Amino acid sequence: MRRRIVTTLICSLLAVSMVLAGCGGTAPPAAPAKPAEPPKPQVNIVMAMSTDPKTMDPHKSNDGPSIINWKQMYDTLVKLDTENRTAIPSLATKWEQPDGKTIKFTLRKDVKFHDGTALTAKDVVFSISRLLDPTTKSPAAYLLNMIDTIKADDDYTVTVTLKQPFAPVIFHFAHPAASIVPEAYMKAKGDDFIKAPVGSGPFKFVSYTKGDRIEFVKNAAYWGGAPTPDKVTIRIIPEPSTQVAELEAGGIHIAFNIPTQEVARLKQSKTADVLTTLSWSVQGLVFNVTRKPYNDVRVRQALNYAVDKESIVKFVEAGLAEPTGQILTPVVFGYNPNLKPYPYDPAKAKQLLKAAGYPNGFETKFLVWNMDPRIKFAEAVQAQLAKVGVKVKLDIIEFGTALEMAYKNNFDVTTMQWGTATLDGDYSYYSLIHSDNWGSAGNWGHYKNKQVDDLIMKARTTPDQKVRLESYQKASEIVFNDAVWLFGDQLVQAFGVRRDLKNVKIPVSWINADVTKATIQK
Amino acid sequence: MLQYVGRRLLQLVPVVLGVSLIVFLIMHLTPGDPVALMFGADAAANPELMASLRHQLGLDQPIYVQYFRFLANLLRGDLGRSLTTNDWVLEEVTARLPATMEIATSALVISVTIGLLAGVIAAVRRNSAFDYASTAGALFGASVPAFWLGLMLIYSMAVSLALLPVSGRGGALLPAIGQAFLGNANPLRTALSHLVLPSITLGLPSAALIARLTRSSMLEVLSQDYVRTARSKGLSERVVIFRHALGNALIPVVTMAGLQFGYLLGGAVITESVFAWPGVGRLTILAITQRDYPLVQGNVMVLALIFVLINLLVDLTYGLLDPRIRYQ
C-alpha cells in the first residue's frame, strides 16, 4: 500500500513535469549556463537593480526602477546634456519658442517604432495628451500640466501652447514620463500594452519575469545607430551584497546598488571597478519653522554650524558626497558655485544657541526614514549635535508612515533626500521652498520668505536664462542665511562595473547606465 | 478516513476566515497610505489625483465596509488587483508560487535527509564523538542567521570556487525535469545548480531542529521493551533500528517536518532576498512596504491555505507510519 502510493506520486509528478515541458512556450529565460551550440557569441549586458519596476507604461508611474526600463525602449522629444545643463535634440531635431507661451517642435523623419510603423507628430500629441489625461492617473503628469494645448501642424511639426509662461518647460520634455509611444499600437493593445510594450528606443522589449529579470534585444534599425550589445538584461537582485558578489563572479556587468563599505574593496578588485558621477541629489534635514525652537533662525543656523560635514562625508558616506549649503548640485541649472557650506564651528553654534535663549541646548526629535543611508546620516548628526548640548532622539520610521507624518506637519525635523530630476532649479525651488507649496505639496517645513517667493516666480516666468540664473543664485543665498534646512551633502552615485566592460556612460540621472555603445573586452 | 478528511477540510473555513480578518486588520491598522506611497515624492504635486484614486480603490470607505467587500470577493475566488501594479493578485501569487515551492521543497529534502541521518546516528552512537559533533553542529545550524550563511556560501562556492551560480532562478524545475526525460538535461542542470545554495541556506536550520528531535525521539524508542525484545530475538541491529525503532520515532519528526515546511514556505523571505529568488516571500515584503493591501492579503491567504493543507497531509501520514492509528 505504502509503496503503491509512493509510486503513484512519483509517476504523476513526472507526468505533470513532462506536460509542462511540452508546453515550452512559458519556459523562462535560461540562466548563464552553457548554451547548446553557440553560433556566434552574443554580447548580453546584464545590469542589476534592487527593486522591480512598477510598470512598463511610461505614463503610469514615476519610479526609478521603471524609468531605467523606459530609457532602454522609449525616446523623448529632447534629452538632457548634463555637462552643459541644457536640452539637446532627440526625437525633435529643433524647437523654437516664438513667445513665452509657445513651443514649436520639428521632428526627425527617420524614426520607426519597434513594430515598424513610423513615428509622427500624431504619436507625440497622443503620448503627451495621454500623460496629461486625468484618467491615465500619471503621478508625473504635473511635470507638464502647464500645457494648455498640443497639436500636430503636419506629420513632423508639433505646436505646444502653455497656460502661462513657464521658462524651464523644455527640460520637462526630457523626462522619461514624457516618452513617446505609438498611438495605433497602444490603442489596439489597451491594457495589454505593458505585456508587449513598443517604443522607438535603442532596445526592444522581450520579456519580464517578475522578481527576476527584464530582457531586451537591440533595435538594429535604431535612428541613432544600432547599439553594440545584442541584448540587455536587467536583473532584480534585492540584496546589495549579492549584487557585489555577482559582479565579482561575472554574473552581471553593472551593479547599481553598491554598499558604501564595499566601495574601497571593489576599487582594488581585479575584475570590478566603481564608477562615480556627481548626482542631482542632496540630503539634509528639514526644519519645521512653525515649531519651537526652529522658528528662531539663530537656532537653525547654530545647528548648521554644529555639524562637521567633512567628517560625515569621510566616515559615513565613504567619500561619496560633498558638503553643501544649497538644495541644488553643480549639475543643475541654478547652482550657486560661490555659496560655501556652513563651516564647522561649535563655538559659534553655542554662542547662537545662547543668544536664542538655549545656553544649555535643548531636547528634540528627528523624524528619520528607515533607509540605511538616511539613518546613518541622522545618527552622525545626532552625535555631533550632542557636543553643543542638543540632545536628539531619532524616530526611525518606515518610509510611508514618515511621509504621512511630514505631510501632516507632525514633526520637528525630518530627513530629506531630493533630486532635481529635470536638471532645472525650478523643480526644486518651487516645490521645496516656495510658500505656494506649504505642507504636503513639498515645502514640509512651512518656510516663507516673500523675497524668495518673488525670485522663484521670476525665474519661472522669464525666458532670459541669465536673469533666471541670477534669481536662483540670489534665492540660494537667502535660503542659506535663513538656514531653512540643516544642509547636509550633495550625493555622488557609485555604480559597480566589470573592468572588461568598456564604453559605458553613467549619465547624471535616475539609476541608469547608457550601454548603447558598450563592448566587452576579451 | 474520507469522513475525517472531509471534516478537516470543513475546518478550513473558520481558519481561513480568521486569517483573513487578522491580516486585514493588521494591514489596515498599520499607518501609511498606499496611495501616498504610490506617488512617493510626486505626492506633493497631486493632491486631487490622489483623492480620486483613493475613492476609486475604495480606500475612503469605512474599514468594515472594505473588509466585507474583500470577503465577498474572496468567496467568489477573487483576491482583487494589486494597488501598485493593477495586476490580478491571484495571477501574481500563482506566478511566484512555483519558485517558492521549489526552494521550500528542496530545503525540506535537504533538512530531512541531513536531520534524520545525523539524528539516528547520534542516537545509536550515543555519547560518541559523532554525537557530540552533531549536537554542536545542530546548535550552530539552529543559530546561524540565514543572511550570513547565504552570503558565506555565495562567497565560498560561487565567487571564490566558481562552482555554482551566485543568485537567481535557473528556470522552472518541473518543466526542466520533464525535458530531462525527453532527452535534454541542460535546463535541469541549470535549474538545479541555481537551487543548491538557497536550499542549503534555507534547509540547514531546519535540519538542525530535525536532527535534535530525531535523536531524542530515537533514544526514547530505543529504550522501550519491544526494541529489547526485537534485539533478544537475534535480529540484526540494522533491522532493529530501521524497521522497528525508526518507524515509531518518526511520528514527532514528521509533525515537525510538516510544521517546518510551513515555516520554509513563509520564512524564505531572507533567503529569497539574498539569492534574488523570485518567490512569494519577497513579493509579500514588497507588498507590505507599499501597503498593497490586496496583494499582502492574497499572499498570506494562499500561504495559510497551503500550510493548513500540509498539516492535514502530515496527519494522514501518521496512519502510514503507525498502522494502529485510525482516523474517525
Side-chain angles (χ1 to χ4, degrees), chain B residues 3-327:
Chain B
Q3 224 180 10
Y4 173 79
V5 175
R7 211 169 52 230
R8 284 288 301 266
L9 287 178
L10 266 185
Q11 285 172 4
L12 271 180
V13 177
V15 172
V16 167
L17 272 181
V19 170
S20 76
L21 184 64
I22 292 170
V23 182
F24 189 89
L25 282 181
I26 290 180
M27 276 314 290
H28 284 259
L29 295 179
T30 313
D33 172 4
V35 176
L37 282 166
M38 248 180 259
F39 282 73
D42 302 320
N46 294 298
E48 296 105 25
L49 191 53
M50 282 167 60
S52 88
L53 201 58
R54 229 173 256 130
H55 177 72
Q56 189 196 336
L57 296 169
L59 295 170
D60 54 352
Q61 300 281 338
I63 187 163
Y64 63 90
V65 175
Q66 293 187 47
Y67 178 67
F68 283 112
R69 200 174 277 175
F70 163 65
L71 265 193
N73 289 335
L74 191 65
L75 288 177
R76 292 199 300 265
D78 175 5
L79 289 172
R81 279 174 184 261
S82 156
L83 296 183
T84 41
T85 62
N86 202 35
D87 291 328
W88 291 105
V89 167
L90 197 62
E91 274 177 31
E92 293 232 350
V93 182
T94 44
R96 297 286 194 104
L97 204 55
T100 296
M101 293 298 276
E102 267 169 29
I103 191 179
T105 311
S106 52
L108 190 72
V109 169
I110 287 176
S111 64
V112 169
T113 315
I114 297 178
L116 271 186
L117 272 178
V120 169
I121 299 176
V124 174
R125 307 229 173 109
R126 194 181 176 183
N127 295 333
S128 67
F130 182 89
D131 186 16
Y132 293 130
S134 93
T135 307
L139 190 67
F140 173 78
S143 50
V144 62
F147 185 80
W148 181 84
L149 180 64
L151 283 178
M152 287 303 118
L153 285 174
I154 286 176
Y155 270 97
S156 56
M157 308 304 279
V159 178
S160 298
L161 300 174
L163 293 174
L164 293 161
V166 173
S167 69
R169 184 181 182 216
L173 186 61
L174 273 185
I177 295 175
Q179 290 224 325
F181 273 90
L182 300 172
N184 179 8
N186 272 335
L188 182 61
R189 213 171 290 144
T190 311
L192 286 180
S193 69
H194 282 84
L195 251 178
V196 176
L197 295 184
S199 309
I200 294 177
T201 307
L202 188 59
L204 219 53
S206 300
L209 286 178
I210 290 175
R212 277 159 49 168
L213 191 66
T214 310
R215 179 180 176 274
S216 60
S217 175
M218 271 302 271
L219 282 178
E220 198 186 314
V221 172
L222 284 175
S223 68
Q224 284 183 9
D225 289 347
Y226 79 93
V227 173
R228 199 182 50 203
T229 312
R231 280 196 176 124
S232 61
K233 279 198 301 190
L235 292 177
S236 76
E237 190 64 13
R238 189 148 46 119
V239 173
V240 172
I241 288 167
F242 287 104
R243 180 151 317 154
H244 292 263
L246 189 58
N248 278 321
L250 269 185
I251 288 183
V253 177
V254 169
T255 311
M256 171 67 108
L259 288 173
Q260 283 297 309
F261 191 64
Y263 156 79
L264 293 175
L265 276 178
V269 180
I270 294 171
T271 310
E272 285 182 359
S273 284
V274 171
F275 289 95
W277 193 264
V280 181
R282 259 172 64 202
L283 185 66
T284 313
I285 292 295
L286 189 67
I288 291 173
T289 58
Q290 295 172 336
R291 300 288 187 280
D292 193 335
Y293 301 137
L295 194 52
V296 177
Q297 284 152 200
N299 284 347
V300 177
M301 299 300 295
V302 170
L303 288 182
L305 203 64
I306 295 176
F307 187 73
V308 176
L309 289 177
I310 283 168
N311 270 307
L312 176 60
L313 272 183
V314 166
D315 289 350
L316 293 179
T317 46
Y318 293 159
L320 293 178
L321 292 170
D322 187 341
R324 288 170 305 180
I325 295 178
R326 286 281 168 270
Y327 299 97

Side-chain angles (χ1 to χ4, degrees), chain A residues 57 117 155 178 183 274 281 292 325 382 424 450:
Chain A
D57 185 338
T117 56
D155 273 1
E183 177 179 14
V274 178
S281 291
K292 273 192 166 182
Q382 177 191 37
D424 185 277
K450 177 80 173 53

